[in-house]
Amino acid sequence: MKNALIIGASGGIGRAVAAELAGQGVAVTGLSRADGLDVTRPETVDDVLGQITDQFDLIFTAIGILSGKSHTPEKSLSAISAEAMHETYAVNAVGPALILKHVPRLIPKDRRSVVATLSARVGSIGDNRIGGWHSYRASKAALNQIVHGAAIELGRSHKQSICVALHPGTVETPFTAKYAGRHKTTPAPDAAASLVNVINALEVSQSGGFFDYAGQEIPW
């Protein structure tokens, strides 16, 4: 891997992955809201990514919200609101889809490339045994479908491309600070090292899959 594009580079995981890659000698380009890219404003995605002419061996998207300005994760069906669902979907599902729209011209056709998008284990329908967190779960399930579909399309034109959804574990960041509770958290640099190891080991046959920080496949 020679160069990487990190979208969401100002967040806890995005920043840590950028640092891990840079430490391995990878040339890293980072983008975030500070650079004018705000996935809740689609025109900014087109504007910022439309100005990039380089191609990357890795495009890593690390954007997402657990809760928005007006809501917290739902503990019951009675807590569901349209506003909360729209806000969560806009960032967690629509945002990455808008980024993926630009990916075909940002990755090479003549060599291996990886397009990795942060998802979450709670987006697995098969692994859902306790319910709750309806907006977040559903938005990540939608994201997984988008990633899977993107992998199929990219596989037709970019034969050596690998497009996957990744679960980073419960990482010690401001993103999870209010909700980790008794769950064990992993320092962001450690999580980043694990994710980069998974990315480096992925094979083309795994494109379209959903994997955790240890490289284990997660059920849909």
Side-chain angles (χ1 to χ4, degrees):
M1 189 190 308
K2 294 182 179 180
N3 58 350
L5 174 64
I6 310 298
I7 300 173
S10 64
I13 297 177
R15 186 186 305 113
V17 168
E20 175 68 22
L21 290 168
Q24 296 184 15
V26 178
V28 176
T29 299
L31 292 175
S32 67
R33 284 187 176 184
D35 303 292
L37 194 156
D38 180 352
V39 296
T40 65
R41 297 169 55 213
E43 69 278 7
T44 71
V45 180
D46 290 339
D47 181 50
V48 173
L49 293 183
Q51 296 182 48
I52 296 178
T53 57
D54 293 336
Q55 291 190 323
F56 301 91
D57 300 313
L58 169 65
I59 297 178
F60 182 85
T61 299
I63 60 172
I65 57 171
L66 276 168
S67 60
K69 298 176 182 178
S70 61
H71 69 279
T72 57
E74 309 95 339
K75 295 183 179 179
S76 65
L77 292 169
S78 62
I80 289 175
S81 77
E83 182 181 6
M85 294 202 81
H86 283 304
E87 186 175 7
T88 306
Y89 266 76
V91 177
N92 292 350
V94 178
L98 295 173
I99 292 165
L100 284 165
K101 183 175 73 171
H102 291 266
V103 161
R105 68 174 184 82
L106 296 177
I107 59 173
K109 291 185 176 182
D110 60 349
R111 64 182 187 273
R112 179 184 186 271
S113 63
V114 177
V115 180
T117 303
L118 278 193
S119 184
R121 188 181 296 274
V122 295
S124 166
I125 296 172
D127 192 58
N128 183 359
R129 294 178 176 81
I130 61 173
W133 289 45
H134 300 292
S135 296
Y136 186 64
R137 286 183 184 276
S139 68
K140 290 298 188 178
L143 169 63
N144 290 346
Q145 179 72 281
I146 292 164
V147 169
H148 188 74
I152 293 171
E153 182 173 336
L154 287 172
R156 298 186 185 121
S157 56
H158 298 69
K159 303 297 185 182
Q160 299 181 61
S161 67
I162 304 165
C163 181
V164 296
L166 295 179
H167 166 61
T170 304
V171 182
E172 190 178 305
T173 67
F175 185 86
T176 60
K178 293 191 294 183
Y179 304 106
R182 294 188 298 273
H183 294 284
K184 180 181 178 182
T185 58
T186 302
D190 295 345
S194 296
L195 289 170
V196 171
N197 285 340
V198 172
I199 288 167
N200 285 334
L202 286 168
E203 299 179 357
V204 173
S205 61
Q206 294 174 295
S207 189
F210 182 19
F211 302 95
D212 71 8
Y213 53 88
Q216 299 298 307
E217 192 164 9
I218 300 173
W220 296 117

